Amino acid sequence: QVQLVESGGGLVQPGGSLSVSCAASGIIFSIYAMDWYRQAPGQQRELVARITRGGSTIYADSVKGRFTISRNNARNTVYLQMYSLKFEDTAVYYCHVKSGGDYWGQGTQVTVSS
């Protein structure tokens, strides 16, 4: 079955950097677009970034120029590098793939705090 396992979250000060990754299994990783979503307390889950199978990327306006999504098809892994982090980036970050149905990872907490 499809499994997505995120890692790399943590606590970082405003202006700092953090990277999260998502290892996928149970799918032919290279043929699917991969997404990063996030959900802050009391907020709806929102799309942060998407990378297509061809490597094209889209970003939420709130993270453009600060976040970078990338993928390594040989490792079945998608990454999200986050720079110049702000308090409002605090959220649980989820990996997502649409492969027949919608599949989500368990999420990884990113906390931006001084």
Side-chain angles (χ1 to χ4, degrees):
Q1 76 261 26
V2 180
Q3 270 196 311
L4 302 172
V5 179
E6 298 100 336
S7 60
L11 174 66
V12 62
Q13 291 187 337
S17 301
L18 200 63
S19 182
V20 292
S21 61
C22 169
S25 61
I27 58 171
I28 304 173
F29 180 81
S30 61
I31 71 172
Y32 291 102
M34 298 296 298
D35 304 322
W36 282 100
Y37 280 76
R38 68 185 181 188
Q39 188 166 20
Q43 304 291 320
Q44 287 193 330
R45 196 170 293 190
E46 62 172 354
L47 177 67
V48 175
R50 171 173 293 154
I51 185 165
T52 68
R53 63 182 185 179
S56 299
T57 57
I58 61 169
Y59 296 94
D61 287 343
S62 59
V63 307
K64 274 181 188 173
R66 300 188 299 118
F67 288 14
T68 300
I69 188 171
S70 61
R71 65 191 298 159
N72 185 326
N73 289 339
R75 296 189 174 191
N76 286 5
T77 301
V78 60
Y79 306 94
L80 186 69
Q81 292 173 292
M82 301 176 283
Y83 305 96
S84 302
L85 282 159
K86 305 176 180 179
F87 292 119
E88 52 263 41
D89 294 318
T90 295
V92 178
Y93 283 70
Y94 296 93
C95 183
H96 168 265
V97 66
K98 197 170 187 71
S99 169
D102 288 290
Y103 295 92
W104 299 90
Q106 82 285 357
T108 185
Q109 177 71 47
V110 171
T111 302
V112 184
S113 175
S114 54

